[in-house]
Amino acid sequence: MSCTVSELPSGCRLRGMTASSQSAAAAAAAAANNGNGNGNGNGDSVGAGPGSGLSSTGGIGGVSGTTGTSATLQGSVSATSNVLQESNATLQRPQSQKPCCFCWCCCCSCSWAKCLAIKNADENAPTKRDLVSADFLDGDQPTLEEIRSWGKSFDKLMKNSNGRKVFRDFLRSEFSEENILFWLACEDLKKENSAEVVEEKARLIYEDYISILSPREVSLDSRVREIVNRNMIEPTTHTFDEAQIQIYTLMHRDSYPRFLNSQKFKTLAQMQDNSNAGSKADSPT
């Protein structure tokens, strides 16, 4: 079944045709119908007249009608061809559109400002040196000797403030930061002299790291947990000594070897080594 543009209901248009394109096609189709009607009518009426002019006049009318119909049909075909070309150009334009900006994403929704923001963010992203240096913003940069001592002794690592900071970041990446936080809380408890303050801090430590309901509960065996429970009856600065030793041993045996093999520690040691080498090269001999 075929249909023309003139047969479409009002307000409906072919897929891919704009309203102006449909109007042009409808006008061309109407002109074609008028040409057919005029040509056929003139030929019949004049040809039916009296005398010798019957065939010749009718023939002229028929020829004129045929000529008008051919011209109209050619105009209709030309208009329809132009409409189809316009529709194809409209449909193909998004596909042949060049990338809207230098990010080569080819998405129509991408704006120049958005691409520029992404480019600037990539250029201004922190480097490895910036990430490592950010760990020591509130203190002095560790020396190469200090960093090397961290790799030789876990005790030296834990006694050094910068070493504890780097090790804590590593434990955070392994989702075991609560171990060093508990150890630091126990160290802070030992510095208190007031019985009231000791009791309050001991209660907070127990709720944060010993209670089974805490999301930051540390891993303790039943023997040590029982000792802590007994000590909590009358808390002192040494209430968590057994638990602190066990967690310290756990970090030493489990987390510390992985820390030494981590990319963070290797990058830090390499950067300090390169920095010292550069300083020696710049110093006068």
Side-chain angles (χ1 to χ4, degrees), residues 150-169:
W150 301 347
K152 297 177 181 179
S153 171
F154 182 66
D155 293 336
K156 292 182 179 180
L157 172 70
M158 294 296 289
K159 290 179 180 179
N160 186 281
S161 59
N162 287 329
R164 290 195 302 269
K165 191 176 300 182
V166 176
F167 186 57
R168 177 177 173 178
D169 290 340

Side-chain angles (χ1 to χ4, degrees), residues 93-112:
R93 188 175 297 115
Q95 298 177 358
S96 61
Q97 187 177 9
K98 294 182 179 180
C100 53
C101 57
F102 48 77
C103 70
W104 303 103
C105 58
C106 300
C107 58
C108 298
S109 62
C110 183
S111 63
W112 178 83

Side-chain angles (χ1 to χ4, degrees), residues 23 27 63 67 106 113 123 150 167 199 233 263-264 285:
S23 299
V63 172
T67 304
C106 300
E123 292 178 351
W150 301 347
F167 186 57
E199 183 177 356
I233 298 176
Q263 188 61 40
K264 184 179 184 66
T285 56

Side-chain angles (χ1 to χ4, degrees), residues 4-5 17 24 28 36 47 61 94 101 126 173 184-185 197 238 267 271 274:
T4 63
V5 175
M17 293 178 62
N36 289 334
C101 57
S173 67
L184 292 173
V197 176
H238 301 283
T267 301
M271 286 176 54
N274 294 338

